[in-house]
Amino acid sequence: MSARAPLWVNKYKPKRFDEIIGNRSAILEFRAWLKRRLKGANVEKAALLWGPPGVGKTLTVEVAAKEYKLELIQMNASDVRTKDQVMRILGMASQYVSLTGRKGKIILVDEVDGMSGTEDRGGLAAVVDLIDRSRFPVVLTANDPWDPKFRSLREKCKMIRYDRVRSSSIVSYLKKICLAEGILADERALKFIADRSEGDVRSAVNDLQ
């Protein structure tokens, strides 16, 4: 494998909702919320997509930005933990219209449960404040948002659960990649990769490559 070869998780990343593997009901629930939020309906100002890694939470938001022609403003909460950092990255973006010509924005705070711990210096409170003040939809992702510390955050969000993707669905996805790459893959090997991933599509594709 060439060191310069593109990562298959990027090369074959879904670009439409119907290409995302698994969690159909969660995606439909998210889309219904987002459509109403964009229309100014009386719904939660934020959605929190939660579940194990590699099941399509962040991907759902990325695809939504493309589908609805929204500017995606993204921040990883594991790297940005303080109030000043949060407001510097998202404060202005949450208030003013896009300069890219797009009609709207969607603000993504990834891995918000990474804010728990001693390094959190007001970052969580800043995210709660961001939700209150944002003119645009705010979406958060987390693996486990049930720490009591996140109660005030949960109360402001529509909670949408993502489950592990079935092994059979992952096998089908890996087969498509192998076909596109001209690879004759052993069905047992694909099943082994899928089973070992424990529902994590990203991990399975990385193992396949």
Side-chain angles (χ1 to χ4, degrees):
M1 183 67 65
S2 169
R4 295 186 179 181
L7 293 175
W8 288 355
V9 288
N10 295 326
K11 184 177 180 180
Y12 296 103
K13 179 182 284 191
K15 296 179 175 60
R16 303 193 309 267
F17 285 117
D18 60 5
E19 295 176 348
I20 300 176
I21 307 302
N23 285 295
R24 293 295 183 201
S25 61
I27 293 170
L28 287 173
E29 189 177 2
F30 171 75
R31 292 181 70 182
W33 167 82
L34 181 59
K35 287 178 182 178
R36 296 191 67 200
R37 177 72 178 86
L38 290 170
K39 291 178 180 178
N42 185 24
V43 296
E44 298 90 342
K45 294 187 71 176
L48 202 167
L49 315 185
W50 67 277
V55 296
K57 302 185 298 295
T58 301
L59 178 60
T60 297
V61 184
E62 292 172 345
V63 170
K66 292 185 178 74
E67 289 270 338
Y68 299 113
K69 296 180 172 57
L70 303 170
E71 180 182 1
L72 176 62
I73 308 296
Q74 187 169 356
M75 183 193 84
N76 191 307
S78 293
D79 301 325
V80 180
R81 298 170 184 251
T82 71
K83 178 179 179 179
D84 288 345
Q85 289 174 322
V86 172
M87 297 313 296
R88 185 174 67 248
I89 295 172
L90 300 180
M92 295 285 285
S94 69
Q95 296 297 312
Y96 298 103
V97 296
S98 172
L99 298 176
T100 65
R102 301 201 175 190
K103 294 181 179 179
K105 300 179 183 180
I106 187 167
I107 296 173
L108 172 61
V109 183
D110 233 345
E111 300 180 12
V112 72
D113 43 346
M115 282 187 162
S116 61
T118 56
E119 290 181 85
D120 177 14
R121 291 171 289 172
L124 190 58
V127 172
V128 172
D129 184 54
L130 170 75
I131 292 171
D132 287 334
R133 298 194 298 121
S134 178
R135 296 175 54 190
F136 307 102
V138 177
V139 186
L140 307 99
T141 71
N143 295 332
D144 179 13
W146 300 108
D147 188 306
K149 186 172 190 174
F150 299 108
R151 181 178 177 179
S152 61
L153 193 63
R154 294 195 304 268
E155 289 174 346
K156 293 185 176 295
C157 296
K158 179 171 182 61
M159 304 290 291
I160 302 177
R161 175 178 173 176
Y162 278 63
D163 295 313
R164 298 183 188 280
V165 179
R166 291 183 301 176
S167 178
S168 58
S169 297
I170 295 177
V171 169
S172 296
Y173 187 52
L174 298 182
K175 282 182 179 179
K176 290 179 181 178
I177 293 175
C178 288
L179 182 63
E181 292 291 328
I183 296 171
L184 290 175
D186 188 314
E187 177 94 17
R188 292 169 299 178
L190 297 182
K191 189 175 186 308
F192 173 78
I193 291 172
D195 289 344
R196 189 170 71 170
S197 75
E198 298 183 340
D200 183 334
V201 179
R202 184 171 55 239
S203 172
V205 174
N206 283 332
D207 283 349
L208 177 69
Q209 187 171 16

